[in-house]
Amino acid sequence: MIRGLAHPINPLVADVGTPPIPEAQAWTRRYGGTYGPLINLSQAVPGNAPHDGLLERMASVAASAAGSQYGPINGDAPLREAYAAELSRIYEGRIAPEDTAVTAGCNMAFFAAMMLLARQGEAVLLPTPWYFNHQMSLDMLGIEPRPLPCRAEAGFVPRIEDAEALIDEKVRAIVLVTPNNPTGAVYPAHVIESFAQLCRNRGIYLVIDETYRDFLPQGMNRAHGLFTGEEWRDTVIQLYSFSKSYAIPGHRTGAITADARIVEQIAKILDCIQICAPRTAQGALPWAIEALRDWREANRAEINRRAQVFQAALAPLPEWRIESVGAYFAYLSHPFRGRRAQEVAEKLATERGVLCLPGSYFGPGQEGHLRVAIANVGSDILQGLTERFRGLTL
């Protein structure tokens, strides 16, 4: 029983830790401003405002009576049509609107997919270090989050042989996240396609979270070739977020792509946990998908440039080793051997005014690391990190 509650609650919820980002943000209240304004590199948020045209269209939808009504469970038809067409263009495959569903953010998409695929006592492989909301969701559902190790020496890319050794009769799916949160690692296409083949062979699903798909390295226009044929329909569920690509995280708009038969089943879950996704962004995104392609490409170039600036800022400090960087994130190895990652992150926040997240938030074996959300701030601020990291002691 939790202290203060008269009656017990579901232990699967009670045993899950509190959301970690508010815990980390609380450290900043002890920062005195010695090194200048606080630099918040914790929660990944777009470091730029939405496009003015998108804001105008969302405002129009929000001001309309129709935009205040319930919409279809799986999302408004114009958005599903535009999104399916965009997916078909990017992946050179055949994806229909019926193969998509719009969700209240990508976390909702993940939760619904896990409810669909596994039940209490079964297991899902999660690449480790993992995105903590994935682990928390599985724990609350009573599904085992089985760590799939991603090692620094392999660029934090998971290996097929490790996954094969972990699959037993309990495993219902493998989750891949690329570009990865927290490491920033971008999985090679052949690795992703090999995992899809493994899942076909073993009769389980591949759930691929591509929240940061629009921030791949320059010149890399798609992460994989899974959708070029039809085999994916029996194996693959893709997740996506409009939040980062269009700088609208507060409007909670994500998507699931799967065969229409799977989407029909997911609709049962979505009807119970969201009824419909928020309407404001749905009304404006069909225009944005086509009209803002160049704007998104410019954002990608800027985020990739910030990664380069961050690397240059830490180059004079080899004790702080950048082990992986990509999309919104860099994954650092800190220099304080044997000390807990939370100690290091808290010290950076309270003494130097730089808020990162400790590796311990992202699963077992991560005490030597910090996650830095490099997309949150401009290059001018990232350049100043050299002096903030220099000479930190514990």
Side-chain angles (χ1 to χ4, degrees), residues 35-77:
Y35 284 80
L38 175 75
I39 301 175
N40 189 341
L41 306 176
S42 59
Q43 187 174 26
V45 296
N48 59 286
H51 188 277
D52 287 344
L54 180 60
L55 286 174
E56 291 169 4
R57 284 164 174 79
M58 288 196 298
S60 177
V61 175
S64 70
S68 300
Q69 300 299 311
Y70 284 134
I73 294 169
N74 283 342
D76 292 358

Side-chain angles (χ1 to χ4, degrees), residues 10-19 132 135-141:
N10 181 351
L12 293 177
V13 175
D15 292 344
V16 171
T18 56
F132 47 75
Q135 173 257 326
M136 293 169 68
S137 295
L138 291 175
D139 280 347
M140 286 188 283
L141 290 168

